[in-house]
């Protein structure tokens, strides 16, 4: 038989158990009660460093404000947008006709533009730029649904990039359209890097040229390489190449 413990031992045991339950209860209470002045602050870190908070007064300055204006003429590093050619596609108040400094029209640059165009633009404008992308086709189908437009769908057709007006756009204007959008088309400044936007603009011009070139644009020594019917048609690019 187990000997019965003395009464005082039982007593102390129960008391100790109760005492042990106090800290978790206190912690749970403190954790669940919102209080701007935290009572227990074990790690001070930088919570109590001397500092001026927003809108506080600072007698050091004549106007008494702790918040200071930026020093006149300050230029933040990497934040300058003063280069209108690069950021807006504008030179001397006109749409730029050239790429901004630091970018070169190379085959590699156009390839990059093609790849980005195919990702971002072809869905609406189509791979060749005729405004016949998959999204556009689907929207048109929904609109011409015999039961009427689906839930009041309205869709502005993505413009053909071979439209005579669009063909007149300079590379700077195309860049600006890609960046900020135009009328019903949203801008892509947030999704596509600046240099890629220029590459896309350059590629759009290449696409346009691809549909509007003549035999004169082909160097004489390369004309033999063209399919026969193109060469015979005088290089009319609309001739179907079989
Ligand atoms: C979601 C569909 C959609 C996508 C994606 C799209 N566009 Fe458009 N785009 C349009 C529509 C719609 C218009 C015609 C807007 C209007 O007339 O209101 C248009 C018009 C244009 C125009 C003609 C502007 C003018 O002066 O009339 C150009 C150039 C153009 N887009 C280029 C691009 C390029 C480059 C991309 C890829 C970065 C792109 N678009 C992506 C729908 C799209």
């Amino acid at each position: 038989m187990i000997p019965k413990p003395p009464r005082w031992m039982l007593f102390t045991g129960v008391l100790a158990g109760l005492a042990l339950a106090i800290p978790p209860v206190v912690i749970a209470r403190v954790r669940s009660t919102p209080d701007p002045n935290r009572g227990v602050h074990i790690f001070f870190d930088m919570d109590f460093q001397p500092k001026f908070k927003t809108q506080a007064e600072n007698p050091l300055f004549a106007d008494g404000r702790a918040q200071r204006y930026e020093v006149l003429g300050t230029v933040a590093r990497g934040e300058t947008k003063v280069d209108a050619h690069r950021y807006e596609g504008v030179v001397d108040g006109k749409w730029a006709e050239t790429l901004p400094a630091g970018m070169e029209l190379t085959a590699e640059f156009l390839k990059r533009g093609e790849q980005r165009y195919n990702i971002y633009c072809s869905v609406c404008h189509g791979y060749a730029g005729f405004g016949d992308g998959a999204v556009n086709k689907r929207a048109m189908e929904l609109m011409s649904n015999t039961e009427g437009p689906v839930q009041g769908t309205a869709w502005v057709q993505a413009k053909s990039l071979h439209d005579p007006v669009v063909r007149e756009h300079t590379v700077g204007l195309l860049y600006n359209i890609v960046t900020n959008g135009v009328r019903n088309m949203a801008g892509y400044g947030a999704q596509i890097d600046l240099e890629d936007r220029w590459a896309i603009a350059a590629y759009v011009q290449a696409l346009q040229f691809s549909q509007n070139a003549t035999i004169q644009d082909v160097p004489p020594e390369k004309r033999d390489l063209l399919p026969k019917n193109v060469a015979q048609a005088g290089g009319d690019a609309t001739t179907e190449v079989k």
Side-chain angles (χ1 to χ4, degrees), residues 51-81:
K51 66 185 163 224
F52 291 100
K53 293 200 167 165
T54 325
Q55 308 290 349
E57 276 181 40
N58 183 346
L60 182 68
F61 297 103
D63 63 4
R65 297 161 183 258
Q67 277 176 298
R68 308 307 306 159
Y69 290 111
E70 65 199 32
V71 177
L72 220 65
T74 308
V75 174
R77 217 172 135 179
E79 290 288 313
T80 51
K81 298 241 164 130

Side-chain angles (χ1 to χ4, degrees), residues 34-229:
D35 180 359
N37 309 306
R38 266 207 284 156
V40 186
H41 217 113
I42 298 170
F43 299 108
F44 279 55
D45 290 335
M46 292 199 285
D47 292 349
F48 298 112
Q49 66 176 333
K51 66 185 163 224
F52 291 100
K53 293 200 167 165
T54 325
Q55 308 290 349
E57 276 181 40
N58 183 346
L60 182 68
F61 297 103
D63 63 4
R65 297 161 183 258
Q67 277 176 298
R68 308 307 306 159
Y69 290 111
E70 65 199 32
V71 177
L72 220 65
T74 308
V75 174
R77 217 172 135 179
E79 290 288 313
T80 51
K81 298 241 164 130
V82 287
D83 185 347
H85 190 171
R86 187 176 174 81
Y87 291 97
E88 280 142 54
V90 173
V91 173
D92 296 334
K94 289 207 199 93
W95 294 118
E97 300 194 3
T98 53
L99 293 174
M103 289 180 216
E104 235 181 288
L105 190 63
T106 59
E108 200 187 327
F109 191 73
L110 281 178
K111 271 266 165 246
R112 176 76 183 168
E114 174 183 24
Q115 190 215 31
R116 296 291 110 179
Y117 174 92
N118 287 349
I119 293 171
Y120 289 102
C121 322
S122 69
V123 285
C124 289
H125 289 282
Y127 287 105
F130 286 99
D132 55 355
V135 167
N136 193 68
K137 275 190 191 145
R138 176 78 181 132
M140 287 310 200
E141 263 169 37
L142 291 181
M143 296 258 296
S144 58
N145 196 322
T146 43
E147 286 136 44
V150 173
Q151 292 178 356
T153 313
W155 174 256
V156 176
Q157 173 153 21
K159 210 151 186 162
S160 167
L161 302 177
H162 306 296
D163 178 292
V165 175
V166 182
R167 245 163 53 197
E168 294 297 311
H169 289 356
T170 67
V171 73
L173 175 51
L174 289 170
Y175 160 82
N176 200 288
I177 289 172
V178 175
T179 305
N180 301 312
V182 59
R183 301 184 302 274
N184 287 289
M185 182 188 132
Y188 286 80
Q191 294 100 308
I192 310 178
D193 281 351
L194 180 130
E195 194 154 336
D196 285 343
R197 296 195 306 265
W198 278 103
I200 289 176
Y203 179 68
V204 167
Q205 291 202 313
L207 268 185
Q208 292 170 333
F209 187 45
S210 78
Q211 303 300 315
N212 277 288
T214 67
I215 195 81
Q216 315 319 326
D217 295 311
V218 184
E221 70 277 12
K222 298 242 163 106
R223 286 180 197 168
D224 280 349
L225 299 173
L226 290 174
K228 273 235 167 58
N229 54 354

